[in-house]
Amino acid sequence: MIKVISPGFYTSVQDLGRFGYGDMGVPCSGVLDSHSAQLANQIIGNNKNDSLLEITLSKCVLKFEKQIIICISGANLSAKINDNIVELNKPIQVAEKDILSFGKPVLGVRAYLAVKGGIQTPKVFGSRSFYQSITEQFRIKKNDCLPFLELKGDKSIKNASVKFDESHFTDMNLLVYPGPEYDLLKHEQKNQLKKLVFTISNDNSRMGYRLEGLIENELPFMLTSAVLPGTVQLTPSGKLIVLMRDCQVTGGYPRVLQLSEQAINRLAQKSTGDKIQFRFEHLDW
C-alpha cells in the first residue's frame, strides 16, 4: 500500500486511458504526458499501460507501507525519499515506512510515479484512470491507501538510468495537422495560426488549455461534432482551446487544428504563462 500523507496540488491515478466508449459519452482520459508515463513503467519492467500516479506541481507526500521498486519520470518536482534527492528515470527501491515527497517544480509540471506491477485501484470501462462521474474519485485524498502488488522473487534492481531530452519540457513548438474545418479559414487566418506565438492562459486543466492570442473568426455556426484530445477549437471570440485527455467527446466550435501525440505530451508539461507556437513544417498544405 501507498498511504497518502498529502495529495498535493492535483494527483490522480492514470493509465493510458479508456477507449471504445465514446458513443456513450465516456472520454478517453488517461495520462496527459503518455511519453513520460510509459517511460516510467518501462524502466521498471512494467506493462506500458500499468496504472501510475500523475503528480501535478508540488506538495504531494506519500508513505510506503511495503518495500517496492519505483521510478519517477516526467517533470522534475524536487522529489525526495526521506531527506535524499531522488534521481529521475531510474529504478529505485523504497523500503517500508519510507516517505516520498515532492517540492518545488524545477522543469515541467507533471511527474509520473510508477510502482512495480502498477497501482491496483478498480478498473472502470477497462481502465483505472480517474475521471469525475466515471470513477469514485477524480483525485487522491489525504489518508487514501493505494494498493500495489507485493514484490516476489528477485528484488534486486539495476543501476542503469535513462537520459531524458529536456526539449520535451522547453521546446515551445507543437507539431500540428489540419483539422476538419481548417480549409474554411481564409489565407490570412491560416498565416496567423502559423506565425503567432500564443500564451497559455490560467484556464488550463486536464480538460483543455485556453490560449491567449486572437484569430479572426468568420466561420459559420456548425453542428456539434466529434472531438479528440489534441483538437484545437476556434471559439466565436477568436480565442483557441486545445482539448486535452479529459475532454468531452463532442464539441460545437470549428476544429481548425489537431495536435500530434508528441505535441499533446509536450503541452501537458507547460503551464500558465508559457509560450507555444504551432509548427507546420514537413506538411504539404
Side-chain angles (χ1 to χ4, degrees):
M1 288 282 187
I2 302 173
K3 184 170 182 179
V4 179
I5 307 300
S6 169
F9 178 76
Y10 193 111
T11 305
S12 61
V13 176
Q14 301 290 339
D15 54 27
L16 295 183
R18 48 181 62 85
F19 301 93
Y21 301 97
D23 60 332
M24 300 167 62
V26 177
C28 297
S29 192
V31 288
L32 283 187
D33 179 358
S34 64
H35 175 70
S36 297
Q38 290 184 71
L39 180 62
N41 271 327
Q42 289 170 348
I43 287 174
I44 56 174
N46 280 356
N47 184 290
K48 66 179 183 181
N49 194 38
D50 280 343
S51 58
L52 36 60
L53 285 180
E54 179 180 271
I55 299 154
T56 303
L57 296 173
S58 58
K59 304 298 183 184
C60 179
V61 182
L62 307 167
K63 181 180 180 181
F64 292 87
E65 301 291 355
K66 297 285 185 181
Q67 71 171 25
I68 191 71
I69 294 172
I70 67 169
C71 179
I72 301 171
S73 293
N76 182 350
L77 303 182
S78 306
K80 292 183 178 180
I81 294 179
N82 304 322
D83 292 324
N84 302 312
I85 295 174
V86 174
E87 186 175 347
L88 302 182
N89 308 311
K90 180 180 180 179
I92 299 165
Q93 186 149 24
V94 295
E96 182 178 349
K97 308 301 181 188
D98 273 354
I99 302 291
L100 173 63
S101 61
F102 294 84
K104 181 180 179 181
V106 176
L107 190 64
V109 296
R110 290 184 171 87
Y112 292 89
L113 169 63
V115 300
K116 187 73 174 177
I119 294 174
Q120 301 296 308
T121 50
K123 283 187 176 181
V124 181
F125 293 119
S127 169
R128 302 184 200 278
S129 290
F130 281 8
Y131 188 91
Q132 193 167 19
S133 77
I134 298 293
T135 52
E136 286 190 3
Q137 58 190 100
F138 64 94
R139 62 173 73 179
I140 63 171
K141 305 185 300 293
K142 183 178 180 179
N143 294 326
D144 276 352
C145 289
L146 306 171
F148 58 75
L149 299 175
E150 292 190 31
L151 288 176
K152 294 181 180 179
D154 183 11
K155 300 179 182 178
S156 62
I157 61 172
K158 299 178 180 178
N159 290 321
S161 61
V162 176
K163 186 175 181 180
F164 201 100
D165 183 0
E166 287 196 2
S167 66
H168 183 73
F169 306 98
T170 59
D171 193 340
M172 67 183 291
N173 296 298
L174 302 179
L175 179 62
V176 293
Y177 305 95
E181 282 70 56
Y182 177 80
D183 286 338
L184 298 179
L185 296 172
K186 294 179 179 178
H187 179 72
E188 293 78 9
Q189 295 166 317
K190 293 178 180 177
N191 275 340
Q192 284 182 305
L193 284 172
K194 294 175 181 176
K195 294 179 178 179
L196 284 179
V197 174
F198 297 92
T199 302
I200 297 173
S201 77
N202 59 7
D203 187 4
N204 63 82
S205 68
R206 286 184 48 85
M207 296 281 291
Y209 281 44
R210 287 184 182 270
L211 305 181
E212 297 293 345
L214 292 176
I215 301 292
E216 185 181 357
N217 183 6
E218 298 175 344
L219 298 181
F221 175 80
M222 59 173 279
L223 295 175
T224 295
S225 302
V227 294
L228 297 167
T231 297
V232 182
Q233 297 178 305
L234 178 59
T235 67
S237 69
K239 291 192 175 182
L240 298 172
I241 301 173
V242 185
L243 301 180
M244 298 298 277
R245 308 287 188 190
D246 276 1
C247 72
Q248 69 278 14
V249 298
T250 60
Y253 298 141
R255 303 155 295 179
V256 293
L257 297 173
Q258 178 67 40
L259 267 62
S260 68
E261 178 68 14
Q262 179 201 56
I264 297 173
N265 295 334
R266 288 187 170 186
L267 183 58
Q269 293 294 352
K270 301 185 186 303
S271 188
T272 305
D274 287 343
K275 308 289 186 183
I276 67 152
Q277 187 168 22
F278 299 120
R279 181 165 64 83
F280 297 79
E281 60 184 356
H282 308 307
L283 296 175
D284 185 20
W285 50 282

